[in-house]
Amino acid sequence: MSFVSLQWTGIPNSQVVPKPPTLVLNFSSFSLPTRCSGSAAKSLLFRFLPFLRWLPRYPIKDWLLGDIVSGFSVGIMHLPQGLAYALLAGLPPVTGLYSSFYPVFLYFFFGTSRHNSVGPFAVISVMIGSLTESMLPSENFLESVNGTNATVNEELRDAARVELVATITVLTGIFQVALGLLQFGFVVTYLSDPLVRGYTTASSVHVLVSQLKNVFGHIPSSFKLPDTNVGTLVTAIIAMVAILIVKELNHKFAAKLPMPIPIELITIIVSTGISYGVNLKDKFGISVVGNIPSGLKPPVAPKISYFGQVVGNAFAIAVVGYAICISLGKIFALKHGYKVDSNQELIALGLSNFLGGFFQCFAISCSMSRSLVQESTGGNSQVAGVISSLVILVTILKIGELFRDLPKAILAAIIIVNLKGMFKQFKDLSTLWKTNRVDLLVWIVTFVATLLLNLDIGLAVSVAFGLLTVIFRTQLPHYSILGRISDTDVYRDVKEYEMAQEVPGVKIFRSSSTLYFANVELYAEALKKKSGIDVDRLIEKKKKALKKLKKQQKKLEKEKAKREKVNDAGSPSLPQNAEDGPGPAVIELSGGESSAPSEPTLHSLGLPQPSFHAVILDFSPVSFVDTVSIKILKNIFKDFHEIEVDVFVAGCGGEGDLQSYEPRPGRASFGTQLIVQGVPPWCSHPQGFPRGQVLQVVPWIQSEP
């Protein structure tokens, strides 16, 4: 393959200038319905209610049994995790059961992922918990008993917190639905994988710290170690050891077990029985869950007055919850060969949160552990989610009140053990150190910012830093001079490839980044540095030499004028015949009035000449240029023209590329590319930007990707 470069010194009358490609709009190809129709309504309905598309074609024989087993397995996990994560959010345990029922059931109708298990999630719960603790701390609900002792009125505190969290959940849902309807599902792309993993790791530390009070049986102060309740600590340690051991066995014998051993549920049942039989609360002072009301609550409108105070937190929860959900959904979709609609997932998650908020739910996301169980136990669709929500419904209606004697230390143990996977993400540090130091820096900054600042502020700082790294990368790209590998049409960096040799008299310059206002000056500096000559110094010398030459010319002109004046004054007295003898004669040589004096060259000025006569700018990585880039590029052309070097642009892509033309007689064929000084004729031509002159055919530059 080769490309052609043209020089435009003027267009002869016999030649025809090829017109740039014309954009033709075929309006007949657009499907813009002007009136409602049954097919349009059906398409819209199927889009927002995806279950209508797949449920009629549900393969009962192949999928139903697996979905039933998976639904019961996940439902069994929902019960302890719902209770535990409600405790993590600073709410009554029953709200965890509500959050494991309503959103899961609603996701069945709106979700597009077949394997995601939505519901309470540790990171979201701790974000909510930090908000409830800061806005409605327990100290605000102290009541004096007998005029001396002060105790927390838990009933009033819990009611106020439920009202606050329901408002946050509704607002979170509004944000998610709005972003989904506006097709803003791409917003999660600004949360890179190192950022998300660093954020969840720091959140897990917050979770661990928040559960120390339930493990030690006392709220730790800032300056004192907690007065440990030995019974609570022993209970938590025994539960953690038992859960860890059985989880390892589940992992080791996963292929042989029909379903994982529900150790969390077993731990809850056994500990509740022991607590009730031994009366742990009265004998050892172990804190228990307390009353869990039976039945479902009627919907309650959110308290709109809270909106202004929690809008930032709600947006952060909306983005983090969606990011975790869509990342898990895409993993399972890729594995099982189906697609997940990112915008519809936003709407599904938003509606689950929005409607759930009216029924005292807190914001939900997807859980990795539950989703893996749903997939590994044979789940093939969200029918498994419906079955798991029915398991929770039965618990809410009939079984929930039996867990009133459940020690909170057991729930804390379940939470801490489930953080194991997140703490394993510390291994990312060694991996990123070997692979990408910039991503490592993003991970560390995200972790530290989230750990030291609040979770929502930490997220904002992390996203801002992540975007700054992108800017810094474009400001510090890899600059290279390309050379041709012999007997090939491949061009590579001459410093990295020994076999790559520069084309004699030509410098091919390439940047790995696009050009815009933040890096174009660095681009110009790197070009001059890579060219091997001090362009600015040479231009300065040329200007000085020209200035000196101009002075000499003026001096000569004055002397010439003086001689002419003397000659003119003495010419009447000169003898007109040869007898008087020869006289002085002045001979003037002229090339004619029409011939302009030639411009002095570096050679004629006695200045060193560059070892090359042309510079080719490889623009293949350049996706756009702005007005600042245009100005700097014009200066590049001007500077190199001053030192008698032509500059050409290669690989100028974009709309109107030569490949969009049909081959014509006398023109380059398909697969060729024009190079001109300045901007190629098929590119957008800024006013005042210099065009070039005709070049010969040069080999195709296949530069580095």
Side-chain angles (χ1 to χ4, degrees):
M1 184 183 277
S2 64
F3 55 54
V4 181
S5 53
L6 295 182
Q7 256 182 315
W8 291 16
T9 54
I11 308 296
N13 295 331
S14 59
Q15 294 185 7
V16 179
V17 181
K19 296 182 179 180
T22 305
L23 177 63
V24 179
L25 296 179
N26 182 9
F27 288 99
S28 62
S29 64
F30 288 89
S31 57
L32 298 175
T34 56
R35 59 187 178 86
C36 295
S37 63
S39 60
K42 182 179 178 181
S43 176
L44 190 64
L45 187 64
F46 280 10
R47 178 183 174 186
F48 289 103
L49 293 173
F51 83 100
L52 294 176
R53 191 181 300 274
W54 62 263
L55 189 59
R57 295 177 293 179
Y58 181 80
I60 298 177
K61 293 183 179 180
D62 297 331
W63 286 9
L64 184 59
L65 181 60
D67 281 339
I68 292 174
V69 174
S70 176
F72 275 106
S73 302
V74 175
I76 289 171
M77 292 183 68
H78 263 301
L79 175 58
Q81 289 188 7
L83 296 172
Y85 293 154
L87 183 69
L88 186 58
L91 299 171
V94 70
T95 58
L97 299 180
Y98 295 154
S99 302
S100 299
F101 169 64
Y102 289 107
V104 177
F105 186 75
L106 291 169
Y107 185 81
F108 167 82
F109 299 100
F110 303 105
T112 59
S113 174
R114 301 198 326 233
H115 298 89
N116 273 358
S117 176
V118 298
F121 182 60
V123 174
I124 304 298
S125 297
V126 76
M127 293 177 75
I128 295 171
S130 65
L131 196 57
T132 56
E133 289 290 344
S134 62
M135 293 185 64
L136 297 172
S138 299
E139 290 77 10
N140 292 0
F141 301 92
L142 291 174
E143 292 182 351
S144 60
V145 180
N146 298 328
T148 54
N149 297 329
T151 60
V152 177
N153 189 328
E154 295 185 357
E155 185 176 352
L156 289 177
R157 182 199 64 186
D158 291 346
R161 288 183 174 181
V162 167
E163 186 178 39
L164 171 65
V165 171
T167 303
I168 297 171
T169 305
V170 169
L171 190 56
T172 299
I174 292 174
F175 277 127
Q176 290 173 331
V177 172
L179 291 173
L181 292 175
L182 294 173
Q183 306 292 297
F184 267 69
F186 68 88
V187 71
V188 73
T189 58
Y190 294 107
L191 303 179
S192 64
D193 186 60
L195 188 149
V196 172
R197 293 175 72 85
Y199 183 81
T200 53
T201 306
S203 300
S204 65
V205 176
H206 280 285
V207 172
L208 177 63
V209 172
S210 69
Q211 292 309 299
L212 293 180
K213 61 184 179 182
N214 294 316
V215 171
F216 290 98
H218 186 275
I219 301 176
S221 64
S222 301
F223 306 99
K224 298 179 181 179
L225 290 174
D227 297 330
T228 305
N229 184 310
V230 178
T232 301
L233 181 61
V234 171
T235 302
I237 292 175
I238 293 174
M240 282 190 280
V241 171
I243 295 172
L244 277 172
I245 292 174
V246 177
K247 278 184 174 287
E248 288 297 322
L249 293 175
N250 283 338
H251 178 71
K252 186 175 182 179
F253 300 102
K256 298 180 180 180
L257 294 172
M259 61 175 288
I261 301 172
I263 183 59
E264 294 171 342
L265 180 63
I266 294 173
T267 304
I268 284 179
I269 294 173
V270 172
S271 60
T272 302
I274 295 174
S275 175
Y276 177 77
V278 181
N279 196 6
L280 295 178
K281 180 180 180 181
D282 295 334
K283 288 187 176 181
F284 300 99
I286 296 177
S287 179
V288 297
V289 168
N291 183 45
I292 299 180
S294 299
L296 300 174
K297 298 286 186 180
V300 178
K303 192 173 182 180
I304 300 178
S305 60
Y306 278 134
F307 276 13
Q309 304 176 56
V310 300
V311 60
N313 304 84
F315 184 79
I317 292 171
V319 173
V320 172
Y322 169 67
I324 295 168
C325 198
I326 194 63
S327 59
L328 286 176
K330 287 184 176 180
I331 291 172
F332 291 119
L334 183 64
K335 182 177 180 180
H336 293 277
Y338 63 92
K339 292 184 178 180
V340 173
D341 186 341
S342 58
N343 292 307
Q344 181 59 29
E345 282 297 298
L346 255 177
I347 295 172
L349 208 60
L351 288 174
S352 298
N353 280 322
F354 176 75
L355 297 175
F358 288 91
F359 294 92
Q360 299 185 3
C361 299
F362 55 85
I364 53 96
S365 183
C366 295
S367 167
M368 171 67 85
S369 60
R370 291 196 308 267
S371 299
L372 289 174
V373 169
Q374 181 166 322
E375 182 215 19
S376 62
T377 53
N380 295 290
S381 70
Q382 285 301 325
V383 171
V386 172
I387 294 173
S388 68
S389 66
L390 294 178
V391 172
I392 298 300
L393 178 62
V394 173
T395 304
I396 294 172
L397 296 177
K398 298 295 182 182
I399 306 175
E401 59 185 5
L402 300 178
F403 293 104
R404 67 179 63 186
D405 291 314
L406 172 65
K408 289 183 179 180
I410 300 296
L411 297 178
I414 293 172
I415 292 171
I416 293 172
V417 171
N418 283 326
L419 296 176
K420 179 185 174 184
M422 293 187 185
F423 283 127
K424 283 184 177 180
Q425 293 177 158
F426 279 110
K427 294 180 180 178
D428 293 348
L429 295 174
S430 60
T431 304
L432 293 175
W433 175 263
K434 299 175 183 177
T435 56
N436 193 312
R437 303 285 175 85
V438 177
D439 284 345
L440 173 63
L441 189 60
V442 171
W443 197 104
I444 294 174
V445 170
T446 302
F447 178 82
V448 174
T450 307
L451 199 62
L452 299 181
L453 306 174
N454 201 0
L455 291 171
D456 53 343
I457 299 176
L459 178 64
V461 171
S462 304
V463 172
F465 182 79
L467 295 177
L468 282 176
T469 61
V470 176
I471 297 174
F472 289 146
R473 288 184 186 186
T474 59
Q475 283 188 305
L476 302 172
H478 176 67
Y479 298 110
S480 56
I481 294 293
L482 302 183
R484 183 180 180 182
I485 297 178
S486 59
D487 300 327
T488 69
D489 290 334
V490 178
Y491 285 72
R492 291 290 185 266
D493 187 350
V494 294
K495 285 191 175 181
E496 296 182 359
Y497 293 84
E498 295 180 357
M499 297 181 65
Q501 299 295 325
E502 292 186 42
V503 178
V506 179
K507 293 284 185 180
I508 306 173
F509 181 72
R510 183 180 189 273
S511 168
S512 61
S513 173
T514 192
L515 291 181
Y516 68 113
F517 67 93
N519 68 354
V520 67
E521 291 188 2
L522 298 175
Y523 178 89
E525 292 176 5
L527 170 61
K528 293 176 180 178
K529 184 177 180 181
K530 289 283 186 180
S531 66
I533 58 173
D534 192 339
V535 177
D536 296 330
R537 178 65 175 166
L538 188 55
I539 292 174
E540 185 180 353
K541 287 183 177 180
K542 182 179 179 181
K543 288 180 178 179
K544 289 182 178 179
L546 288 173
K547 188 176 181 181
K548 184 177 181 181
L549 181 63
K550 191 175 181 180
K551 288 182 179 179
Q552 291 175 352
Q553 288 177 344
K554 286 183 178 180
K555 184 177 180 181
L556 291 174
E557 288 176 358
K558 288 181 179 180
E559 292 179 355
K560 179 181 176 182
K562 187 176 181 180
R563 286 196 302 268
E564 290 178 349
K565 186 176 180 181
V566 171
N567 292 337
D568 291 341
S571 55
S573 61
L574 288 175
Q576 298 299 321
N577 47 43
E579 296 177 351
D580 297 325
V586 178
I587 301 174
E588 182 178 352
L589 298 178
S590 175
E593 295 180 358
S594 60
S595 61
S598 60
E599 183 180 352
T601 63
L602 293 175
H603 179 70
S604 65
L605 294 173
L607 297 176
Q609 292 178 287
S611 59
F612 53 93
H613 58 78
V615 170
I616 297 177
L617 305 180
D618 181 8
F619 266 32
S620 54
V622 178
S623 57
F624 69 93
V625 291
D626 56 13
T627 55
V628 177
S629 302
I630 295 296
K631 292 179 181 178
I632 301 299
L633 287 173
K634 287 173 68 176
N635 291 336
I636 290 175
F637 283 99
K638 180 181 176 182
D639 290 346
F640 277 94
H641 178 72
E642 290 286 336
I643 62 172
E644 302 170 8
V645 175
D646 293 324
V647 181
F648 303 91
V649 173
C652 177
E655 192 169 352
D657 192 279
L658 181 62
Q659 295 184 5
S660 63
Y661 290 100
E662 294 182 1
R664 298 179 186 176
R667 288 193 56 193
S669 61
F670 180 84
T672 64
Q673 192 168 11
L674 296 175
I675 304 179
V676 299
Q677 182 177 348
V679 175
W682 67 91
C683 291
S684 302
H685 180 65
Q687 186 175 4
F689 198 83
R691 290 189 182 275
Q693 302 171 346
V694 185
L695 260 184
Q696 73 278 10
V697 178
V698 294
W700 165 258
I701 299 177
Q702 182 182 345
S703 57
E704 294 176 282

